[in-house]
Amino acid sequence: MKDWVSSLVTGPKGPVNTGPGPQTNLSIETLVLEERTRGKDPRELVEDDLLLLEQRFIAPNGLGQAREILRQNDTLLITGPAGSGKRTAAQMLLHELRHEHGRFYELSDTPEDSGTILDSSFVSDHDRILLDLTNTDEQHLLAVLDGLPALRAAMRRHCARLVIVLPSPLRHLCPDELRARTAEVGRPDELAVFRCHLRSHSVDAPAEDTGSPKLAHHLLHSPMRDIALLADLVRRARDAAHRDEGFADWLSHALDALTEQGEKVASLYQRLDTGEQRALLLATATFHGARADAVHHATLALLEAVGHPTDETPLLERPDLSRRLAEIEAGTDDRARVIFHALEYDTAVRTHFWDNHPALRPVIRTWVTGSIGLRLLTQGDRDALVRRFAEHMLRTEPADDLLSVARHWAGGEDYDVCSRAAAWALKQGLQDERHGSAFRRQIYNWARQFDIPRGLGLVLVQVCTEVMSVNHPDQAMVRLHHLARRGSRAIADAARSALVQLGSGDDRLYRRLLDRVTYGLTHDHPRADEKLFLALADPARLTDTTRRIQPFIADSSVRTQCAQCWGIVLGRQDRTAWLPQFTDWLRACYEGRAHTELLLEVLAAATAHRSSLSSLLYTAALDWAETPREGRQARMAVADQLWQRTDALASAPTLPFSVCTPPGGVRE
C-alpha cells in the first residue's frame, strides 16, 4: 500500500506537460505566477494595482490633513488604529502625486548591501516612496528614524515624496521636528466601503437590504480587508445563487460564511466518528475543487501519514465515494470535482483542523508537501493547494517554516511542478504584511550563497522578477545581481537576463545597476560582472531619449564608468566575448545615430595609454569594416575615427572626462 500511494503522490521523475504553452526545463517563462505579469513592466503593474485600489477607495477621516501635510513637505508620517486602512490611505496619497518621470515603490526597512536602513541613493526625480513600519518594534523604528535626515535631503533634491506608515503605539517616538508632519487617519465609513466594493463587483445593493443590525455589527468590528472579503463573498453567493434569490439572500449567505461556518464545522466533526471520515473531510477541504479521484487518493495518503490502520474491508463491501462525501456534507459538480455546497465551508474546515489540532500541523505539512506532485491534480489545483497551505502557515507559524517548505519544493525532481509550487509559496510570503520582510531577507541570504542549488536559484530569479520587482524593485535588483554573480551558469544567465529586463524599462534601476557593475569591476570583483556589463552596454539604451531629455551617454560619469568597464573587459575577456557588443557600438555609429562622437570617445578612452588594447580594438574594427562589402567605405570611416581618437588619447595626459566614484549603495 505504501509504495502504491507514494507513486501516486510523487508522480513521474521528469518534466511534465502541465498545460498549453512551452515546457522548457530551464525556462522561467513556464513558471509565470500570474498571467498579468507576462511581458509587463513592473511599473505598469504597480500603477494598475493603484488604479484598481483607487476605484475601491473611500477617504477616511483625517485624510485631508494628511494630504495638506504631504503637499507642503517631502515627508508624511501617517498613523491610525489597527484595521483602519492607513496603508491604503498612504498608497492613495502617493498615487495622487503621480508624475510621468517618477515611479511608486516601497523601501525596505532592513539594511542590505548599502549597510544602511534608508539608502538615499535609491531616490530619483519625482519618486513616490512608501515605507511601511506597521509591524516594526521600538528599536527598529528608532534606527529608521535615525537615518531619515539623509533620506529627506535626497527627497528634496529630487522633488520626491515619502510616506511612512507608523504603528500607533510607537507614535510618541517621533522627534519633535516630525510631529508636525504626522497625521492620524480614522476608519472610513464602513458601509460606504462595503458598497464601493460591491459596485466594483457589479453587485447592486438596495439601501433597505444593507441596514440590518447584523451587517452593521460585522462591518463595525471588521478590519478594512475583511469588509472587502465580505463583498467578494456576496459576489460569489450571487454567482452561485438560484434565479429567485436576491441581494438579501446573497448577503445572508456571505455573513453566514464568515460568522456561522465555524460552529457548523465543529458540530459536523463531532458527528464523524471514524478516522476515514475525518480524513476525507480534511482532504476535501484541502483539495477543494479537485477531481474526485484526486481527493480519494489524497485521503489515502493522509491516512498513511497519520499512521491510521489499513482498512481490511473488501473493496466491494466498502461504501462508494458519493455516500462517503454525503456523510461530510460534500458532493461533486457536473465536472466530477469535489466541493462543499455551503459558501466558504472548505475554509472553515481547514481552519478547524489547523486551529484545534496543533499536533496535526507537522503531519499536514508533510502530507501537503508530498502531495504537490499528485498526477491527478491540475496546475490550478496545485496553485490553490499551495495558497491555502501557505495562508495557514503564515497565520500561525514562523516565517522559517514556509521558507523551509519552499526550499524543499525548489529542489524537487519534477522541475516544472515543484518549482512553481516553491515560487507560489514564496510569493505568498512576500505579499504577507507580517512576514514579507522576513521573506525578503531570507531571499537575500540565499542569493548571496555561492553553492545555491539550481532549482532554488531559478525560482528566486522568478520571484524577484515577477513579485518583488513590482513594489520593491531595488531589493529585487540587489538579489538578482547577487544571483548573477554567484549562481551556476543557468542561474547566472537567467538573473542577467532579468536584470537587463528590469533596467530596460526603468532609467533609475538602469543607472543603479551600472553603478553596481562599475563598482564590482573596478574593485576586482569576480568576472561575472563583465558579462553583465556587456549585456547592459547597449548603445541604443545609452543614447535613448524617449524618456529622457539627455541620454545616459551625455552624462560624463556614465561615460567614465563605461570606459572603465570596457577597459577591464577588453583586458580580461577573450575577443569572442566582447566582439558582438563592440560591433553593436560600431554599427550604431555607422547608422548615424545621435551622439556617435560620445560612443567613440568611450571606446577610445577604454584603451587609453594601453597600446596593446588600442591595436586589438582597431584590428577588430577593421575586420568589422571589411565585411560585408556593401557600405565598406562608410564602415571604414568609423574605424578610422576610432583610431584617430585612440591615437589622440595616447599622448594626452588625462582622459577627456573625469573619473568618478560610483554613488553609495553598491557595496558588496
Side-chain angles (χ1 to χ4, degrees), residues 172-183:
H172 67 280
L173 297 176
C174 292
D176 292 339
E177 65 270 18
L178 291 178
R179 289 182 183 174
R181 295 176 174 83
T182 303

Side-chain angles (χ1 to χ4, degrees), residues 283-520:
T284 298
T286 304
F287 294 83
H288 196 255
R291 288 167 47 189
D293 44 0
V295 173
H296 168 70
H297 291 303
T299 303
L300 294 178
L302 176 58
L303 289 169
E304 181 178 340
V306 299
H308 194 276
T310 303
D311 186 0
E312 301 295 341
T313 306
L315 289 175
L316 292 178
E317 295 182 14
R318 300 177 191 177
D320 61 23
L321 184 58
S322 296
R323 176 180 167 184
R324 293 164 55 210
L325 289 173
E327 292 173 348
I328 63 169
E329 300 180 3
T332 57
D333 62 13
D334 55 2
R335 295 186 298 165
R337 296 185 176 273
V338 176
I339 58 170
F340 292 110
H341 298 293
L343 196 64
E344 282 293 278
Y345 200 84
D346 60 308
T347 302
V349 170
R350 294 192 299 271
T351 302
H352 177 86
F353 275 93
W354 193 268
D355 290 353
N356 292 284
H357 295 277
L360 266 181
R361 292 176 191 173
V363 178
I364 295 174
R365 169 177 167 170
T366 301
W367 172 55
V368 169
T369 302
S371 296
I372 203 67
L374 184 62
R375 287 176 291 170
L376 298 168
L377 298 175
T378 66
Q379 192 56 69
D381 294 334
R382 294 188 183 96
D383 294 344
L385 174 63
V386 175
R387 187 186 68 250
R388 293 162 183 162
F389 173 67
E391 285 174 356
H392 287 295
M393 291 284 286
L394 294 168
R395 183 169 60 87
T396 65
E397 309 304 302
D400 288 346
D401 286 9
L402 185 57
L403 284 163
S404 176
V405 172
R407 177 160 190 161
H408 173 79
W409 274 330
E413 295 182 7
D414 189 343
Y415 177 80
D416 288 345
V417 169
C418 294
S419 295
R420 185 179 177 103
W424 268 99
L426 292 175
K427 174 187 175 182
Q428 294 294 114
L430 287 168
Q431 295 181 339
D432 185 80
E433 291 185 11
R434 188 160 63 98
H435 293 298
S437 61
F439 273 74
R440 291 194 298 273
R441 183 164 53 252
Q442 182 57 59
I443 291 174
Y444 175 77
N445 292 334
W446 279 336
R448 288 171 59 86
Q449 295 177 4
F450 280 98
D451 57 348
I452 185 171
R454 186 182 68 172
L456 178 61
L458 292 174
V459 167
L460 296 187
V461 171
Q462 182 199 6
V463 296
C464 288
T465 305
E466 297 182 25
V467 183
M468 286 189 64
S469 65
V470 177
N471 287 318
H472 296 87
D474 295 273
Q475 287 75 50
M477 179 196 68
V478 168
R479 286 150 182 77
L480 288 170
H481 194 193
H482 284 301
L483 290 167
R485 285 172 165 177
R486 294 170 169 82
S488 63
R489 180 174 180 177
I491 297 171
D493 288 348
R496 278 194 296 271
S497 177
L499 283 167
V500 173
Q501 178 183 338
L502 282 179
S504 67
D506 191 314
D507 288 346
R508 186 180 63 86
L509 287 182
Y510 180 83
R511 189 68 182 86
R512 283 183 57 80
L513 189 54
L514 186 59
D515 289 343
R516 290 180 63 89
V517 169
T518 302
Y519 187 91

Side-chain angles (χ1 to χ4, degrees), residues 188-204:
D189 181 88
E190 294 87 359
L191 184 57
V193 172
F194 181 53
R195 285 181 168 277
C196 184
H197 281 281
L198 289 174
R199 286 194 298 272
S200 72
H201 295 307
S202 301
V203 176
D204 183 29

